[in-house]
Amino acid sequence: MTKTAAVCGIPWRLEDGGCAVLPLPGDESIAAVARSQVKGLLPALGLSVRDVHDLAIMVSELATNVLQHATSASGDGLPGAELWVYQRSGERGRDELVVKAFDTLRQWRRRRETAGDVHEHGRGLEIIRILADGRWGHHPSRSRLGSPAVRGKATWFALPITRTVPGRRHARQVDGPQAMRNLETLLVQRGVGRLRRKDELGVSMLTGPGDLTVWCETATFRWCARSGETGKLPVSDITEVCEQVVRLYEALDDRE
């Protein structure tokens, strides 16, 4: 289940897991739209970052990178570009703001540029790396607005955040079976199929292709993949858990 919220005149889709999703234009307005929308979203959610100017630069570079490197080879625009914003638990107990730009082209594709374009935009990801203090990256993913969900990639950065109004993100607790049902719903919406859920002895378990398994007990998700990768996050980070499972699921598809 989702809902919409009008921010700066353009509706964000707010998912039950707490992720705000916005379609991005496939033209030169992409950076300005992304920048203004994120700056308007944070106060609407009662959130703030230490340096709004740095945030605006990073969002602009993230969106510009999508336009510069993910435009289709045929020149038919930028189908399926999306902006995702959500919170997750960060280091030393501080929450982080995660901003991701999704596009439907799996691999990087660099368009033909003039020397001026290279000077202006070739260092965009390096700017993000510096301002985010290394908290950035990219990974295979699936769309949130596509129906069915479309395969692609997401490029992201994370920054520490504070709340300007009292929040309930960590206060909202659900039992293990309900948390797992919520996660299963989010994963199905993202196109992750062949899932099997089982509840027994106080532990909820979700299994999928490639020996991918997720457990939920004592308000905590844990997961393990065939690659040996494991992880653990509180149920309040269900959006990030979903992202990690989708990433592992997509990486499995890439290998097979």
Side-chain angles (χ1 to χ4, degrees):
M1 183 182 299
T2 60
K3 56 185 178 179
T4 60
V7 182
C8 296
I10 300 179
W12 287 84
R13 193 182 81 166
L14 302 180
E15 296 183 344
D16 277 354
C19 185
V21 186
L22 182 78
L24 288 173
D27 55 39
E28 297 294 337
S29 69
I30 188 171
V33 169
R35 182 172 60 247
S36 64
Q37 289 304 305
V38 172
K39 289 174 68 175
L41 178 67
L42 263 60
L45 298 180
L47 303 175
S48 67
V49 296
R50 183 176 61 183
D51 194 322
V52 176
H53 179 67
D54 281 358
L55 173 66
I57 291 175
M58 296 165 72
V59 171
S60 294
E61 294 294 347
L62 196 67
T64 299
N65 179 74
V66 171
L67 186 65
Q68 293 287 329
H69 303 289
T71 304
S72 64
S74 62
D76 57 359
L78 188 67
E82 302 171 7
L83 191 66
W84 308 340
V85 180
Y86 63 92
Q87 299 174 65
R88 71 179 181 192
S89 299
E91 298 176 355
R92 293 188 287 273
R94 293 193 63 184
D95 278 0
E96 291 182 333
L97 180 76
V98 180
V99 180
K100 294 192 177 187
F102 172 85
D103 68 83
T104 57
L105 291 179
R106 197 67 156 185
Q107 304 298 326
W108 298 111
R109 178 175 288 141
R110 192 177 187 85
R111 74 177 186 181
R112 298 179 66 180
E113 300 169 319
T114 67
D117 287 328
V118 172
H119 176 73
E120 291 295 325
H121 303 301
R123 58 194 180 93
L125 293 180
E126 178 65 12
I127 291 173
I128 290 174
R129 184 191 69 80
I130 293 171
L131 294 180
D133 195 23
R135 301 289 289 164
W136 80 283
H138 54 83
H139 58 81
S141 190
R142 287 193 173 224
S143 68
R144 293 176 178 273
L145 296 177
S147 182
V150 181
R151 300 182 71 194
K153 65 179 179 294
T155 308
W156 63 274
F157 67 82
L159 291 173
I161 53 174
T162 57
R163 281 195 167 270
T164 58
V165 295
R168 300 186 60 185
R169 192 175 86 88
H170 293 289
R172 183 185 177 190
Q173 296 290 345
V174 295
D175 60 23
Q178 183 59 56
M180 191 62 84
R181 285 192 292 270
N182 293 344
L183 178 62
E184 182 180 18
T185 297
L186 291 175
L187 291 171
V188 170
Q189 290 172 350
R190 302 287 295 283
V192 179
R194 294 178 290 162
L195 297 173
R196 299 180 300 278
R197 179 167 48 84
K198 181 170 64 174
D199 303 322
E200 62 179 27
L201 300 177
V203 179
S204 294
M205 183 171 65
L206 192 67
T207 57
D211 298 329
L212 179 59
T213 305
V214 184
W215 298 268
C216 186
E217 59 179 328
T218 62
T220 301
F221 284 115
R222 295 183 294 111
W223 63 90
C224 180
R226 177 190 295 171
S227 63
E229 180 176 338
T230 62
K232 181 174 72 172
L233 284 170
V235 294
S236 57
D237 277 328
I238 189 171
T239 296
E240 180 67 18
V241 175
C242 180
E243 278 298 290
Q244 295 300 324
V245 174
V246 170
R247 176 182 62 80
L248 290 168
Y249 181 79
E250 289 300 287
L252 175 67
D253 273 1
D254 286 345
R255 289 193 296 268
E256 292 182 345

